Amino acid sequence: MNQNSFIKKILFSIFCYLVVITATVDMTKNISLGSEKPEITTKTENVVKELNMLEGKEEVTEEKKEVANPVTEVKNEEKIAKVEEKNTEVTTENKGVESVTEEKIENKKVSNKYKYANKSIRVFADTKITPKAEDNLKISTRVEILEKKTVDIIKNKTVKKADGKNEVQKIVIKDNWEKIAYTKNGKKKTGWIKENQLAGTMQETLPKTWKNLDFSPVEKKEYPNNKRIHVKGIYVTSSSASLNKKMDELIALTKRTKINAFVIDVKEDDGTLLFKMEAGEKYNPLANRRAPIKDIEKFMKRLKENNIYTIARIVSFKDPTYAKANPDKAIISKATGKPFTNSDGVIWVSPHDRYLWEYNVAVAKEAAKAGFDEIQFDYVRFPASNGGKLDKELNYRNTKNESKPETIQKYLAYARKELEPLGVYIAADVYGQVGSLPDDMALGQHWESVSNVVDYICPMIYPSHYGRGVYGLPVPDAYPYKTVYHCTQDSINRNANIDTPAMIRPWIQAFTAKWVKGHINYGPKEIELQVQALRDLGIEDYILWSPTNKYRIK
């Protein structure tokens, strides 16, 4: 074979090889462009676009869409699966709630990290039950599971043999444990608990009728033109507010003490208003009948000039004036049809009344526009009903079949939504023991459901309001430091159960409770002891309550 023939054969072989390779590439190309591929590509593009919109990202560019490597396609398909799974949980009928939808998607991811004690739980140092547990967790306490372990426990069991004799046999019992992390008393702790004592959500640990409570995170804003401060406040009645001499005295108090805020009655316990309002004319003209402040602009200017942070106290559902004007809104006895009252004879309006919601928030809006920095809702609860025992006898006009805590939470959430554009903070007053008890005291005040939707939660922790033996104290009124310390610590622990709790700003006692057997006189020393208890727990804010507006402080 000469050289030319050899070269020709080599070239021919190369040509044949190239033909085969080309045919293979064409076949592969035709398969990749079959009917399924465009469908997948379109679906990927649409779902990835939707995912980016949900995450607040810009639309995918054409340049990015043209990338076609197998790894990217697999990732895109995984993304599709995740988005499709999320889309089965999210309703998008109302485009106006897209931002809320996004928040709920993220909340589901966050909430899966935690579990909640479904009863009172004993916590141990290791996977062994000892007579004395290291700690105890209250129902609804939020924990994180760190580890799971199965321990073999060997026990002796007496078994009767066929010949009638007894034989001791060793048996192995599987004991399942979970190591958890949790926050208590301001510290991060770990420990072991027996399995099957945790629930997946807080709702599962609460009464079934409370299933609609919402614990998803709520953004707590700081308004640029209304900076948050550490409030050291006093309560000011509308009568005191209307007296120049009294206001001079209270303003002077701010100059020589740490007091920097006034909580002023804007809508009082009897339903009357601080100054004449359009809200009063529209919803309840009787509320404007007194209106002691005739020039609200001048009044607010004076407070601002003295650097006083102003909080508008709005009594929500204890409103006899409104009840008189709207008897069909009052809580009534089913047996008699007459308005229900406690021993004080005051008629309460049902917190389920949406018209009263509108009225209270309308009052709050006018207060905000007048210059108040914050709105504080008081009596944001149902009336005392003997621990709920009277509920079956009362008509609360509950047309929406809501639980008490659900109604209170929805009211506060509604107020927040309406007042947010005005740049004011919202607060809610609750009973002091709400932070120590797992229920709502039959008042609708459940700690976490209130704390989650307001900026400030204000427990009324007056030592005189606690019965004998509470917190192990014979007369809590005589132990201002210990009483305030214990109930505040419980409240702090409750805040650890949710992602976006309110700041705790307690009401403390600045009066002497002469009606309490074993009481002590409250002066500068007793007030400072309460303040010190808060300070020792890391809380700088407080409000002093004195119904007479006399404050003996240094």
Side-chain angles (χ1 to χ4, degrees):
M1 181 183 297
N2 60 32
Q3 188 174 2
N4 289 338
S5 298
F6 177 77
I7 290 171
K8 287 179 180 179
K9 284 188 176 183
I10 292 297
L11 291 173
F12 180 76
S13 298
I14 291 171
F15 173 77
C16 292
Y17 179 77
L18 290 173
V19 168
V20 172
I21 290 298
T22 302
T24 304
V25 170
D26 287 344
M27 186 185 303
T28 303
K29 186 176 181 181
N30 287 335
I31 291 172
S32 69
L33 294 175
S35 61
E36 291 181 4
K37 185 65 180 179
E39 209 172 301
I40 295 175
T41 303
T42 302
K43 189 175 184 181
T44 303
E45 290 170 0
N46 289 341
V47 177
V48 171
K49 178 178 177 182
E50 181 181 351
L51 180 66
N52 286 330
M53 288 176 66
L54 285 172
E55 295 175 345
K57 298 177 182 177
E58 62 183 11
E59 186 175 336
V60 181
T61 63
E62 289 297 320
E63 182 180 351
K64 291 177 183 175
K65 290 179 184 177
E66 288 173 3
V67 176
N69 91 39
V71 175
T72 304
E73 289 177 7
V74 169
K75 287 183 177 179
N76 283 340
E77 289 178 15
E78 290 175 353
K79 218 173 207 181
I80 293 169
K82 289 179 181 178
V83 174
E84 288 179 335
E85 183 180 348
K86 289 179 181 178
N87 284 346
T88 62
E89 301 171 352
V90 179
T91 302
T92 56
E93 293 175 359
N94 186 351
K95 293 184 179 180
V97 295
E98 285 180 355
S99 61
V100 177
T101 302
E102 177 186 353
E103 186 180 13
K104 286 187 177 178
I105 290 174
E106 293 305 313
N107 291 344
K108 283 187 176 291
K109 290 168 66 177
V110 172
S111 64
N112 288 338
K113 176 182 177 182
Y114 298 106
K115 302 295 181 184
Y116 300 83
N118 60 17
K119 59 182 178 180
S120 180
I121 295 177
R122 299 172 73 200
V123 182
F124 299 90
D126 54 31
T127 53
K128 182 180 179 182
I129 293 180
T130 57
K132 185 177 180 180
E134 290 287 311
D135 202 356
N136 289 282
L137 300 184
K138 293 182 178 180
I139 188 170
S140 300
T141 298
R142 184 164 80 169
V143 308
E144 186 176 357
I145 297 176
L146 302 178
E147 182 184 343
K148 293 189 177 186
K149 184 183 289 187
T150 299
V151 178
D152 289 340
I153 299 177
I154 300 175
K155 291 189 175 183
N156 293 329
K157 183 180 181 181
T158 302
V159 178
K160 184 170 285 189
K161 297 170 59 178
D163 60 5
K165 295 182 179 181
N166 291 334
E167 180 182 63
V168 177
Q169 297 180 352
K170 294 188 178 299
I171 60 171
V172 177
I173 298 174
K174 299 291 184 182
D175 205 22
N176 296 318
W177 290 80
E178 294 175 325
K179 187 176 184 180
I180 60 170
Y182 59 98
T183 300
K184 186 174 181 180
N185 300 344
K187 296 179 181 179
K188 298 286 186 181
K189 297 187 175 186
T190 60
W192 290 90
I193 64 172
K194 293 294 294 289
E195 193 182 45
N196 298 324
Q197 297 188 88
L198 301 175
T201 65
M202 182 176 288
Q203 284 90 337
E204 293 175 50
T205 71
L206 302 173
K208 291 181 180 179
T209 54
W210 296 11
K211 64 181 183 299
N212 292 327
L213 288 177
D214 187 358
F215 302 108
S216 56
V218 175
E219 183 183 5
K220 306 294 175 72
K221 295 181 178 180
E222 174 149 347
Y223 303 107
N225 298 323
N226 184 12
K227 296 288 186 180
R228 291 177 185 261
I229 68 167
H230 285 302
V231 163
K232 295 166 176 57
I234 58 173
Y235 165 61
V236 180
T237 66
S238 61
S239 297
S240 291
S242 67
L243 300 173
N244 285 329
K245 186 177 179 180
K246 185 63 177 179
M247 288 302 291
D248 287 342
E249 176 189 317
L250 296 177
I251 290 172
L253 187 70
T254 69
K255 306 299 183 185
R256 60 180 177 82
T257 68
K258 295 179 181 178
I259 296 301
N260 60 6
F262 289 176
V263 179
I264 303 170
D265 277 337
V266 169
K267 180 169 176 272
E268 295 191 64
D269 299 43
D270 65 357
T272 57
L273 301 174
L274 179 69
F275 58 98
K276 284 191 175 181
M277 296 188 186
E278 292 179 6
E281 292 302 317
K282 178 179 178 180
Y283 294 92
N284 181 20
L286 293 174
N288 277 332
R289 71 180 186 272
R290 189 162 64 89
I293 300 299
K294 307 306 177 186
D295 189 339
I296 188 62
E297 289 184 12
K298 181 180 178 181
F299 176 79
M300 296 302 296
K301 182 181 178 183
R302 186 184 184 193
L303 296 176
K304 296 299 180 184
E305 286 175 347
N306 285 281
N307 298 313
I308 296 171
Y309 184 86
T310 51
I311 303 173
R313 176 178 178 258
I314 295 177
V315 174
S316 293
F317 303 120
K318 181 184 179 183
D319 192 337
T321 302
Y322 177 90
K324 184 177 180 181
N326 301 274
D328 60 319
K329 306 291 187 180
I331 298 170
I332 59 174
S333 165
K334 291 180 180 177
T336 66
K338 293 181 179 180
F340 166 75
T341 66
N342 288 132
S343 58
D344 58 8
V346 175
I347 298 173
W348 279 64
V349 181
S350 172
H352 297 300
D353 177 16
R354 265 48 173 182
Y355 191 67
L356 182 53
W357 290 18
E358 290 180 17
Y359 173 34
N360 290 335
V361 171
V363 169
K365 286 180 178 178
E366 290 196 52
K369 290 173 183 176
F372 280 89
D373 302 296
E374 182 176 320
I375 306 300
Q376 183 188 88
F377 293 103
D378 199 1
Y379 285 89
V380 57
R381 62 177 178 86
F382 285 75
S385 57
N386 194 13
K389 293 177 181 178
L390 298 178
D391 285 352
K392 292 181 179 180
E393 301 174 22
L394 301 177
N395 178 2
Y396 288 107
R397 305 184 189 276
N398 185 9
T399 58
K400 295 181 181 293
N401 196 30
E402 295 171 339
S403 67
K404 290 180 179 180
E406 179 185 350
T407 293
I408 297 303
Q409 187 187 57
K410 283 182 175 178
Y411 167 67
L412 292 169
Y414 163 73
R416 179 182 196 86
K417 179 184 175 183
E418 292 293 312
L419 293 168
E420 197 170 75
L422 298 178
V424 291
Y425 303 103
I426 68 166
D429 295 340
V430 298
Y431 272 157
Q433 286 182 293
V434 167
S436 298
L437 300 174
D439 58 18
D440 67 332
M441 298 181 68
L443 303 170
Q445 292 184 341
H446 173 250
W447 182 274
E448 288 87 350
S449 62
V450 172
S451 180
N452 197 49
V453 295
V454 296
D455 297 304
Y456 296 94
I457 186 166
C458 306
M460 298 174 283
I461 55 177
Y462 319 124
S464 61
H465 283 39
Y466 293 82
R468 288 178 173 273
V470 174
Y471 304 124
L473 304 173
V475 183
D477 183 74
Y479 297 86
Y481 178 91
K482 289 183 178 181
T483 303
V484 166
Y485 189 95
H486 282 301
C487 56
T488 303
Q489 188 173 66
D490 285 348
S491 299
I492 292 171
N493 288 336
R494 296 289 290 274
N495 260 359
N497 294 332
I498 51 179
D499 291 321
T500 52
M503 294 182 69
I504 298 172
R505 185 199 290 149
W507 283 95
I508 59 176
Q509 185 167 321
F511 60 89
T512 297
K514 295 180 179 180
W515 61 89
V516 174
K517 188 175 181 180
H519 74 275
I520 61 173
N521 291 324
Y522 271 66
K525 177 185 174 182
E526 290 71 26
I527 292 172
E528 181 55 34
L529 284 171
Q530 295 174 87
V531 172
Q532 186 60 49
L534 297 175
R535 194 180 298 124
D536 289 347
L537 289 168
I539 292 179
E540 298 294 327
D541 293 38
Y542 58 84
I543 310 169
L544 302 178
W545 174 271
S546 168
T548 62
N549 292 177
K550 294 179 181 179
Y551 298 99
R552 298 170 58 203
I553 53 177
K554 293 180 180 179

